[in-house]
């Protein structure tokens, strides 16, 4: 299988090339842009831009870039794939996460996310507090 490929244009919405083949069984994390600012800790509150693509069909499900408004939330309050996959990233960085369903929305899915869907997130870290 091939991982999705992601553009490294800081400050602009990423372009994500959909992956092929079977989704990985384990959480995958890759820095597309290595940040140089404050580091994400498990206890951090983050401000991020993110794009979500489903592995199964390569469709963009949601992107904060389209609204132009980044999202802010405590890392402890989001899906396990983010809690495990984002610590160590730094402000200014862009990280690709491929999140299996058991660390995402599981067998029930959520809204536009179908059951047992592998999630592809590209997360740009804007601020950490």
């Amino acid at each position: 299988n091939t991982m999705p490929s992601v553009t490294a244009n800081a400050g602009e919405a990423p372009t994500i090339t959909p992956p092929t083949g079977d989704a990985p069984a384990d959480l995958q994390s890759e820095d597309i842009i290595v940040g140089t600012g404050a580091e994400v800790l498990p206890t951090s509150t983050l401000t991020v831009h993110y794009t979500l693509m489903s592995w199964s069909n390569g469709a963009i499900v949601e992107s904060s870039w389209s609204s132009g408004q980044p999202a802010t939330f405590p890392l402890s309050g989001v899906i396990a794939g983010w809690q495990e996959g984002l610590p160590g990233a730094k402000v200014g960085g862009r990280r690709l996460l491929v999140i299996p369903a058991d660390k995402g929305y599981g067998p029930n899915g959520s809204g536009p996310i179908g059951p047992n869907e592998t999630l592809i997130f590209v997360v740009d870290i804007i601020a950490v507090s």
Side-chain angles (χ1 to χ4, degrees), residues 14-127:
T15 300
I16 307 171
T17 304
T20 56
D22 295 332
D26 300 315
L27 176 70
Q28 307 290 314
S29 163
E30 182 188 332
D31 282 317
I32 306 298
I33 299 172
V34 176
T36 53
E39 185 170 332
V40 175
L41 304 173
T43 52
S44 298
T45 292
L46 310 183
T47 299
V48 303
H49 263 310
Y50 65 90
T51 303
L52 169 58
M53 174 184 277
S54 5
W55 184 288
S56 60
N57 60 12
I60 299 278
V61 178
E62 178 171 80
S63 173
S64 63
W65 293 93
S66 12
S67 67
Q69 291 299 313
T72 299
F73 49 81
L75 188 55
S76 62
V78 292
I79 58 172
W82 279 43
Q83 292 185 32
E84 294 175 25
L86 286 180
K90 294 180 177 175
V91 169
R94 167 172 293 174
R95 184 168 282 188
L96 165 66
L97 298 176
V98 177
I99 302 176
D102 64 349
K103 296 184 188 299
Y105 298 108
N108 300 321
S110 171
I113 302 291
N116 298 311
E117 177 65 69
T118 297
L119 310 173
I120 299 165
F121 274 104
V122 177
V123 184
D124 289 73
I125 312 289
I126 295 168

